[in-house]
Amino acid sequence: MKLIANNAHSVAPESQNVLELANDADPRDVSLAGIDRIDLQFPKFTDGRAFSQAFLLRRRLGFKGEIRATGDVLADQLQQMARSGFTSAVLRADQDLAIAERQLARYAAFYQGDAVQVKPHFVKAA
């Protein structure tokens, strides 16, 4: 997962087609044709609807582009964001990038399947 400092976040580069999706919007109701990046909003860290949106976009809708977490993004949420299908996250202004990177690297693998690695660990072993 790519981590982005709050002051380094650009809303929409000219070369990308970016869709900003409100956290109460249903991803099944929007056209994903030609979209390179979807920005999902965490208005406060206790509102986890964007986790469900990311999972739905990756697993059910098969979106292959970048899914970016924006808003009230904390370092301790990053593992779950990566497992839900996010590919990048813009950290809240008070979050330390080095701490966030350590948190994200804390676990190398998981026993359960998720949005990215669908098969559970025991099925992947050959």
Side-chain angles (χ1 to χ4, degrees):
M1 172 184 267
K2 178 181 176 184
L3 300 179
I4 304 165
N6 191 281
N7 60 359
H9 174 60
S10 64
V11 178
E14 291 180 22
S15 62
Q16 271 189 323
N17 290 324
V18 178
L19 172 65
E20 291 184 32
L21 198 58
N23 73 336
D24 60 351
D26 188 339
R28 296 171 292 191
D29 294 339
V30 297
S31 173
L32 301 176
I35 300 296
D36 300 316
R37 184 179 97 199
I38 299 175
D39 289 359
L40 299 179
Q41 178 69 24
F42 286 87
K44 53 186 173 179
F45 75 91
T46 57
D47 187 336
R49 291 179 280 184
F51 286 110
S52 299
Q53 290 175 314
F55 190 87
L56 185 63
L57 285 162
R58 277 289 175 237
R59 288 283 297 273
R60 300 243 174 99
L61 301 176
F63 182 70
K64 302 291 185 204
E66 179 182 355
I67 300 177
R68 180 175 288 187
T70 63
D72 201 14
V73 176
L74 305 178
D76 61 352
Q77 297 172 304
L78 295 174
Q79 277 292 359
Q80 189 62 34
M81 286 178 181
R83 299 191 73 214
S84 297
F86 285 94
T87 53
S88 63
V90 179
L91 298 172
R92 191 171 77 183
D94 66 345
Q95 298 294 292
D96 185 287
L97 191 59
I99 291 172
E101 288 171 345
R102 283 196 309 269
Q103 178 66 20
L104 192 56
R106 185 177 301 259
Y107 301 102
F110 297 93
Y111 191 74
Q112 312 92 334
D114 56 38
V116 180
Q117 299 294 327
V118 179
K119 292 182 180 180
H121 183 70
F122 65 87
V123 173
K124 290 190 277 184

